[in-house]
Amino acid sequence: MALDDHVAQLIEALNSQGFTSFEQLSVEQARAVIDTFTGLQAPAQDVARVVNLTFPGGGGDLPVRIYVPAAAGPVPETPLPVVLYFHGGGFIGGSIDVADEPCRAVANGTGAIVVSAEYRLAPEHRFPAAPDDACAALNWVAAHIADFGGDPDNIVIAGDSAGGNLAAVTALRARNEAGPSLRGQVLIYPVIDPSAEFPSTREYAEGYVITKRGLDWFWMQYLDAPGDASNPYAVPSRAGDPSGLPPALVLTNEYEVGRDEAEDYAARLEAAGVDATVRRFDGLVHGVFWMSGAVPRSNEVLAAVCDYIGSITVPSAVQ
């Protein structure tokens, strides 16, 4: 399918400003570019309640933001499903502020409480800091979400890009470490494996917001030692046996470097008996979930996320 017209215009605008790939930037410059994605988003939806707190991460307290959906009212009468969300940003950037608009949309679109959790960023805090924080966030949610009207037995874990990697890894660790039970995992164009070689790795290596060199640069900031690239808690496709993991929705885009590695991960899950669904969006690129105001078709991604979460979560009263 042809590249979406709105995406093509966005890429042209980036090129006209001299931006072609993240590896050309310093870490601080890359973080600043990632933060500008808020300017590509639609106005944030109103929800019933937003609570800003902290949770104990691996290196100290980290911010966490809780969204109660508009339809539930500030204090839900019955426990609601819960979505624990990790933002993208190449492991080096992004924040709960950048993810605020999509998290509000997911809360209202699913009727679930959405919990958006920060994690320590590379290169100041390399692997395994981020997955340690992600696991700490899941444990905190399971222990405390009932205080906000959420059902701790009805949790879906989700994330986009690097956050999709953390969601997949946290699901793996929860299985291995007898952690909280998960209803499912939603992996929005997750980055999976720095050594992956697939057709999309070559075909879309240049020209589509995230280049192959840019993706390699992000991984270089994140991984601390050569052996980390074979650690399943950094590269979930290296898990020897993915059986017993929660059902998964894996969303990919046609024009992205990591498309095939994400779809291959879904195939690995399915081969192990995990209920895995893949949805590829033709004509779109990596990062589109954060482009609701600039790329109208990003609503298709949001709808796929909300529909899937609605299909695997059951209101507490009818469980």
Side-chain angles (χ1 to χ4, degrees):
M1 183 175 176
L3 186 66
D4 178 85
D5 287 344
H6 294 88
V7 171
Q9 293 169 16
L10 176 61
I11 292 174
E12 183 178 351
L14 289 171
N15 290 341
S16 70
Q17 296 169 17
F19 175 83
T20 56
S21 187
F22 278 96
E23 85 279 358
Q24 300 173 338
L25 308 176
S26 68
V27 169
E28 289 305 320
Q29 289 171 330
R31 287 172 176 163
V33 169
I34 292 167
D35 288 346
T36 65
F37 272 78
T38 56
L40 303 176
Q41 296 172 357
Q45 298 180 20
D46 290 332
V47 294
R49 185 183 179 198
V50 177
V51 182
N52 288 292
L53 297 169
T54 60
F55 72 96
D61 289 347
L62 291 166
V64 63
R65 185 171 295 168
I66 300 169
Y67 302 86
V68 179
V75 182
E77 294 182 2
T78 59
L80 298 179
V82 180
V83 178
L84 173 58
Y85 192 86
F86 299 115
H87 65 78
F91 302 107
I92 64 101
S95 67
I96 58 176
D97 291 328
V98 179
D100 181 74
E101 185 273 332
C103 284
R104 289 169 178 264
V106 170
N108 285 341
T110 60
I113 291 177
V114 173
V115 181
S116 182
E118 290 281 19
Y119 50 89
R120 287 171 290 172
L121 299 176
E124 295 90 344
H125 305 282
R126 296 179 184 267
F127 175 82
D132 284 349
D133 292 340
C135 285
L138 175 59
N139 290 330
W140 183 89
V141 166
H144 296 282
I145 200 61
D147 297 338
F148 305 93
D151 182 352
D153 296 318
N154 207 6
I155 299 173
V156 176
I157 198 162
D160 67 277
S161 191
N165 172 287
L166 294 177
V169 165
T170 304
L172 184 63
R173 287 185 60 170
R175 183 203 66 174
N176 293 351
E177 300 169 9
S181 177
L182 294 172
R183 211 42 102 144
Q185 49 184 321
V186 176
L187 314 181
I188 305 169
Y189 41 77
V191 294
I192 296 295
D193 187 347
S195 61
E197 286 291 339
F198 291 100
S200 68
T201 313
R202 301 180 293 274
E203 292 171 15
Y204 306 116
E206 299 286 342
Y208 300 101
V209 182
I210 301 294
T211 66
K212 178 64 167 65
R213 291 195 305 272
L215 188 57
D216 290 344
W217 180 78
F218 284 125
W219 279 109
M220 287 174 59
Q221 309 309 308
Y222 177 53
L223 299 182
D224 192 42
D228 291 344
S230 60
N231 189 320
Y233 293 161
V235 182
S237 59
R238 299 302 179 96
D241 178 13
S243 63
L245 288 172
L249 173 67
V250 180
L251 302 180
T252 65
N253 299 298
E254 180 182 7
Y255 291 89
E256 65 173 332
V257 176
R259 181 196 72 194
D260 292 348
E261 68 187 72
E263 293 179 1
D264 177 74
Y265 183 62
R268 290 170 183 262
L269 294 178
E270 189 171 30
V274 177
D275 183 4
T277 301
V278 174
R279 174 83 182 273
R280 181 193 292 185
F281 295 91
D282 292 339
L284 297 184
V285 297
H286 195 88
V288 72
F289 194 58
W290 285 5
M291 303 177 186
S292 56
V295 181
R297 285 190 60 213
S298 69
N299 286 328
E300 296 176 23
V301 183
L302 173 64
V305 170
C306 293
D307 288 348
Y308 182 78
I309 292 172
S311 74
I312 62 173
T313 56
V314 182
S316 179
V318 296
Q319 284 189 47

